Amino acid sequence: MTGPFKSSAILRIRGYELYLDHVNQHGGVCGRRIELKQKDHGFNVQRALDGYFELEPEVLGFIDVAGSAMTEAIEPDLMQTRALTVPGSWAAALLGNPHMMIVGTTYDLDIINGVDHYRRKGILKQGDTVGHVYIQGNYGDNALEGTEFAATNWGLTVAKQPIGETTADLTTQIAALKAAGAKAVVLSTTPPQTAVAVGVAAALKWDVPFLVNVVGYDPAILESPVAAAVQKNVTVATSVAPFVGEAEGPREVRQGYQAKFPGEKASVNVDHGYAVAMAFVGVLEKACGKNDLTRDGVLRAFHDTSAIDTKGLTGPLRFSLVGRPSATQSYMTRPDAQSPGGLAMVEELRESELVKAKGTRAK
């Protein structure tokens, strides 16, 4: 709740609170109310471990473990405690852990869907170069897999620029991609780094489209000096509907949020939290139906869940295929200061044919 992803984490919690309040008002699960207990790790691994070990004996499961490094540190103990856990991450590397519930599309599939969107719009074509600036680790490496898979299949060249989570100056990286003649740039970065990258391109007078993983976008960018360039050139790929989505789920979130938190700014992270809570409660209700709300009972219910309808907040979720993403469709959105939540819809949920091919090869 503090650190570089503070705003997204807090709004995700708002989404949890919205849905869990709704569940509790309607009798809870198995007649039990759901209580949300929280610890702030401030994006520090040791604080995350301390908070985890304090909470673990007191809870049935974890609806949010935020941060790739923090998740990696906690993951070994989860194998022993058998607590169902939702990481604040869409990294494909986590799919092999039977205790991890990833709600939505993994980073690589979002990027493949995004590159496909650019191909269909004529922004990218065979023989072009696509640049990718990415944070090394589960997040950026997985997103890069998507770019490279798309490039291999569609005859593109990838120009890679790895960075760290704390890299503040991206002048060298963006200048290198401009020199390489990139027709589009993928950003798998933190929100501040996204703003810096777009700002550097504008300063270099390089009018290039940017495809951004949703975790690399924060509506606060639209209050910065690079707002105009961001609104002109950025597309955000997301497996979670933007706050202004018109499907039943996003409308439900919007109405509930505006009633419960009047005047507060929102973002796609509210919808993400709401969708995660829907999925987690869906698994708990399945375990309740089997008269087993132990951790093992919840895990069995999780592995047996083949369909959860989030009403358009995400694509249909399926957790019963081990090692496979729960969803494969992505929304394409664009930053827009006039849209509540800071994102406007560009394209509804869609799955690239190449994503289907990737899934087939992974079997």
Side-chain angles (χ1 to χ4, degrees):
M1 294 176 281
T2 53
F5 294 100
K6 170 185 175 179
S7 59
S8 61
I10 289 174
L11 289 175
R12 199 161 59 245
I13 291 168
R14 289 286 194 244
Y16 304 146
E17 292 171 339
L18 265 183
Y19 190 73
L20 296 180
D21 283 354
H22 168 77
V23 171
N24 287 336
Q25 288 168 12
H26 289 81
V29 175
C30 269
R32 298 166 181 254
R33 290 178 54 81
I34 299 175
E35 180 185 355
L36 190 63
K37 307 191 83 169
Q38 304 169 61
K39 291 290 179 182
D40 174 28
H41 62 54
F43 216 66
N44 176 277
V45 172
Q46 188 55 55
R47 285 180 63 189
L49 284 168
D50 292 344
Y52 166 77
F53 285 116
E54 185 175 338
L55 286 179
E56 186 273 322
E58 302 176 1
V59 299
L60 178 60
F62 291 86
I63 202 169
D64 192 328
V65 175
S68 295
M70 298 75 195
T71 303
E72 185 177 347
I74 290 168
E75 192 174 4
D77 195 71
L78 289 175
M79 300 298 286
Q80 304 300 319
T81 60
R82 303 182 63 77
L84 181 61
T85 299
V86 184
S89 167
W90 289 280
L94 299 174
L95 292 172
N97 187 323
H99 305 83
M100 291 283 184
M101 173 193 281
I102 300 179
V103 177
T105 312
T106 48
Y107 296 124
D108 54 334
L109 301 191
D110 269 341
I111 293 303
I112 294 171
N113 287 334
V115 173
D116 185 35
H117 174 74
Y118 275 178
R119 286 179 70 248
R120 288 183 285 106
K121 289 187 66 178
I123 293 171
L124 287 171
K125 60 184 184 299
Q126 187 172 356
D128 284 346
T129 294
V130 56
H132 197 142
V133 181
Y134 64 101
I135 297 173
Q136 292 178 293
N138 280 350
Y139 163 32
D141 292 350
N142 184 216
L144 179 65
E145 288 175 21
T147 302
E148 292 183 327
F149 188 79
T152 298
N153 284 271
W154 288 328
L156 304 170
T157 298
V158 181
K160 300 182 287 188
Q161 291 292 331
I163 61 172
E165 287 181 343
T166 59
T167 302
D169 185 355
L170 299 177
T171 303
T172 300
Q173 290 81 1
I174 298 300
L177 295 180
K178 181 182 180 184
K183 299 297 184 183
V185 176
V186 180
L187 296 178
S188 303
T189 47
T190 67
Q193 290 169 334
T194 297
V196 169
V198 176
V200 169
L204 294 174
K205 301 191 184 307
W206 188 28
D207 192 21
V208 66
F210 288 90
L211 175 65
V212 180
N213 281 103
V214 67
V215 296
Y217 175 72
D218 186 328
I221 294 174
L222 300 179
E223 299 173 9
S224 74
V226 300
V230 168
Q231 290 185 101
K232 179 183 179 185
N233 290 327
V234 168
T235 299
V236 179
T238 169
S239 61
V240 180
F243 191 71
V244 294
E246 283 304 317
E248 182 182 355
R251 289 201 312 271
E252 188 176 293
V253 173
R254 196 161 55 247
Q255 292 166 3
Y257 186 83
Q258 291 168 346
K260 188 174 178 63
F261 307 107
E264 285 196 21
K265 292 184 178 180
S267 79
V268 65
N269 296 290
V270 179
D271 298 73
H272 180 206
Y274 199 91
V276 166
M278 287 181 77
F280 209 105
V281 169
V283 169
L284 295 182
E285 289 173 338
K286 193 176 189 72
C288 173
K290 298 287 187 179
N291 298 312
D292 190 354
L293 273 175
T294 64
R295 285 184 176 174
D296 281 339
V298 170
L299 282 176
R300 281 192 289 270
F302 169 54
H303 296 144
D304 194 39
T305 299
S306 58
I308 288 183
D309 180 9
T310 62
K311 305 178 185 178
L313 283 165
T314 67
L317 299 175
R318 185 177 186 179
F319 300 114
S320 56
L321 293 177
V322 178
R324 298 286 299 279
S326 63
T328 54
Q329 299 172 305
S330 305
Y331 288 101
M332 294 300 133
T333 62
R334 62 176 178 81
D336 182 1
Q338 302 307 310
S339 292
L343 284 175
M345 187 73 77
V346 173
E347 187 172 73
E348 296 284 346
L349 278 173
R350 194 176 193 279
E351 177 187 25
S352 167
E353 290 297 321
L354 192 56
V355 165
K356 295 177 184 177
K358 192 174 193 292
T360 300
R361 295 178 197 185
K363 286 181 181 178

